[in-house]
Amino acid sequence: YDLTLMRLVADSIPAQVIWSADKGATWENKIYLMPGTWVSAAALGGPLQPIPVKEMNVDVDVGIRFAPAAELDLSNEVPIDGSTTLDVMYL
């Protein structure tokens, strides 16, 4: 599965999602959550740097991916079960 962050609002102002794979040394404009990455908010149209935020709201879209039908046993029901943990860090 994959998680996509959309419609980020930081302190009642629309903002963009940014993430860092190197603990904040560099930031990229990405909306997908990847294991081990940091996610933050940046001003729309501004530099890709985290902005101070007191309250952040973001929609999380969960996408499910299946193997090709030729590789699946479709004769039995297969439950879809998973979990994700998000750690919130205050910088």
Side-chain angles (χ1 to χ4, degrees), residues 34-73:
M34 300 290 291
T37 58
W38 290 8
V39 177
S40 190
L44 285 177
L48 297 181
Q49 291 296 318
I51 56 174
V53 175
K54 183 176 180 181
E55 182 178 314
M56 185 169 87
N57 294 296
V58 64
D59 292 340
V60 179
D61 182 64
V62 179
I64 300 173
R65 297 178 188 204
F66 295 97
E71 297 175 18
L72 295 174
D73 175 7

Side-chain angles (χ1 to χ4, degrees), residues 67-78:
E71 297 175 18
L72 295 174
D73 175 7
L74 300 176
S75 62
N76 296 307
E77 183 177 318
V78 178

Side-chain angles (χ1 to χ4, degrees), residues 5-25:
L5 303 179
M6 302 180 303
R7 294 176 288 282
L8 188 143
V9 177
D11 296 331
S12 301
I13 300 170
Q16 64 180 323
V17 176
I18 58 174
W19 68 264
S20 175
D22 54 13
K23 298 184 178 182

